[in-house]
Amino acid sequence: MTEWRKSSYSPNGTDCVEIGRGVGVRDSKAPASRIALGTAAWSAFLAATKADKLAR
């Protein structure tokens, strides 16, 4: 069973993205669906987030 973690930046704990180690990401409102991410993709996502390079 995967342990999912919610972002500490979520304003109310319900509208957020959750991460599962070695599994991927999912929307907290739709936990049955998820996006699988490999190590390289996850690293690229984090780098883009930290550099504020994601579309808004």
Side-chain angles (χ1 to χ4, degrees):
M1 180 170 204
T2 300
E3 180 180 331
W4 292 91
R5 296 179 54 201
K6 290 185 180 183
S7 169
S8 61
Y9 291 97
S10 176
N12 58 14
T14 58
D15 296 328
C16 61
V17 171
E18 298 175 316
I19 59 168
R21 181 172 290 231
V23 178
V25 296
R26 70 181 184 183
D27 184 334
S28 62
K29 296 181 298 297
S33 60
R34 63 178 181 235
I35 299 171
L37 294 175
T39 304
W42 180 248
S43 295
F45 172 76
L46 289 178
T49 301
K50 290 176 183 178
D52 198 25
K53 300 279 186 183
L54 299 177
R56 293 175 192 233

